[in-house]
Amino acid sequence: QVQLVESGGGLVQAGGSLRLSCAASGRTVSSYTMGWFRQAPGKEREFVAGSRMSDGTTDGFTYYQDSVKGRFTISRDNAKNTVYLQMNSLKLEDTAVYYCASGSGGTWSSWGQGTQVTVSS
């Protein structure tokens, strides 16, 4: 099992940027598919971005929810055992609690506690 701790959330004006970090312990992030999710008030938790490592047969790749494509970038630093979510051109509708998750085989098995992102006008 891997333990995940998010940081980097905060209050930002629309059009601004934030970078979220997800520090992992217990297992290395290189062993897992890593992802970011978010949950806005009154809404269900939704997928935002994912990063899948190469399995030796297929290359690794990243994938995004349509609404964040071109604005958000997921990346990982395996040496630091950390995953990042760079968020640019933030919109009011990006306001949510953002969660880091890890998993494999199509299942998300570990979750962080979340970090609040608030975008103001």
Side-chain angles (χ1 to χ4, degrees), residues 10-28:
L11 175 65
V12 63
Q13 285 194 319
S17 298
L18 280 176
R19 188 177 80 157
L20 306 183
S21 299
C22 172
S25 61
R27 298 286 293 272
T28 60

Side-chain angles (χ1 to χ4, degrees), residues 1-48:
Q1 195 83 0
V2 60
Q3 291 76 47
L4 305 171
V5 178
E6 303 96 334
S7 61
L11 175 65
V12 63
Q13 285 194 319
S17 298
L18 280 176
R19 188 177 80 157
L20 306 183
S21 299
C22 172
S25 61
R27 298 286 293 272
T28 60
V29 296
S30 61
S31 302
Y32 295 94
T33 295
M34 300 299 297
W36 287 94
F37 291 73
R38 67 186 181 188
Q39 187 168 18
K43 295 188 176 181
E44 305 238 332
R45 188 174 299 189
E46 63 177 3
F47 170 80
V48 175

Side-chain angles (χ1 to χ4, degrees), residues 11-110:
L11 175 65
V12 63
Q13 285 194 319
S17 298
L18 280 176
R19 188 177 80 157
L20 306 183
S21 299
C22 172
S25 61
R27 298 286 293 272
T28 60
V29 296
S30 61
S31 302
Y32 295 94
T33 295
M34 300 299 297
W36 287 94
F37 291 73
R38 67 186 181 188
Q39 187 168 18
K43 295 188 176 181
E44 305 238 332
R45 188 174 299 189
E46 63 177 3
F47 170 80
V48 175
S51 170
R52 181 173 175 177
M53 293 296 291
S54 168
D55 62 4
T57 301
T58 56
D59 292 338
F61 58 90
T62 57
Y63 49 109
Y64 300 90
Q65 182 198 108
D66 284 347
S67 69
V68 307
K69 284 180 182 177
R71 300 189 298 123
F72 290 11
T73 303
I74 186 171
S75 62
R76 60 171 83 198
D77 185 334
N78 291 333
K80 295 183 177 180
N81 221 25
T82 300
V83 178
Y84 303 98
L85 184 68
Q86 178 66 45
M87 306 185 295
N88 299 328
S89 302
L90 282 161
K91 303 177 180 180
L92 297 179
E93 53 263 41
D94 294 320
T95 295
V97 177
Y98 283 71
Y99 297 89
C100 178
S102 67
S104 62
T107 301
W108 299 101
S109 53
S110 295

